[in-house]
Amino acid sequence: MVTIFPSHWPFALQIAIAALLAEFASYWAHRLHHEHPALWWLHALHHGSERLYALNNFRIHPLNYAINYVFGIVPLLLIGTPQEVILGYFAVTYPVLMLQHANLPLQSGWFNYVFSTNEVHRWHHSRCAGEGDSNFGRALVLWDQVFGTFRYAPAGNDPAGVGLYVGSHYPARASFLAQLSSMFLPTCCRSAA
C-alpha cells in the first residue's frame, strides 16, 4: 500500500495535519446535510431537541453517522494515516465534542475562535435558519472562518431558541423509531406527527 501521509513528521504535527484534513471533510459533510433536503431529513434528528445537553452527541441517525464517518475518517485511512495519529486526533477532539452540546454556562474565551465550544455551537442549533446555518465544524471552527460560516456572539447574546428551524415538517415529537424511518417515507407522506 502506498502511503502519502507524512508519517515521518513529528507526532504532534501529524495529528494537526490529520485534524485539518478530517475537519475539512467533516465541515463539508455537515454543511451538505443542511443544504440538501434528503440529507437534512437525516440530520434533523440531531436538531430535534429543544434543549442542548451532552447526550445530543448521540442523538444522530445511523446513516448520518455513517456519512460523517465516510467523509471524515475514511480519507485518512486511504492516504495511510497511522492508527495512532487518528486516535490522537480523536483524543484531542472528543472532549470538545462532549462539551459542545453541554447546557452549562461555560465561558471559553479565545477557545471559541479555535474550537466548536458550546458557546459557539449553540448558534448552530438556533431555530432561525439564518443563525443555524453556521458553525458546521466538527470540533474546530477553522473551516467556518475560511468559508464565512463562523458565527459567535459573546455570552448573553444567545439564540432565542434551539431546535428545528421554524416551519420544519420533521416529526420531532414522534418516537425515535418513527424519526429513524421517516427518511424513507415518500415526501408526500412525511408529516410533523
Side-chain angles (χ1 to χ4, degrees), residues 112-132:
N112 290 317
Y113 297 95
V114 177
F115 298 103
S116 185
T117 65
N118 69 331
E119 285 183 279
V120 169
H121 195 68
R122 74 174 45 113
W123 286 98
H124 176 72
H125 282 268
S126 172
R127 295 194 61 189
C128 174
E131 294 172 350

Side-chain angles (χ1 to χ4, degrees), residues 111-166:
F111 284 114
N112 290 317
Y113 297 95
V114 177
F115 298 103
S116 185
T117 65
N118 69 331
E119 285 183 279
V120 169
H121 195 68
R122 74 174 45 113
W123 286 98
H124 176 72
H125 282 268
S126 172
R127 295 194 61 189
C128 174
E131 294 172 350
D133 286 335
S134 63
N135 302 338
F136 298 109
R138 182 175 171 272
L140 303 176
V141 293
L142 168 69
W143 299 114
D144 285 291
Q145 292 178 11
V146 168
F147 296 112
T149 55
F150 178 73
R151 181 182 185 93
Y152 169 64
N157 295 315
D158 294 338
V162 298
L164 294 169
Y165 296 153
V166 174

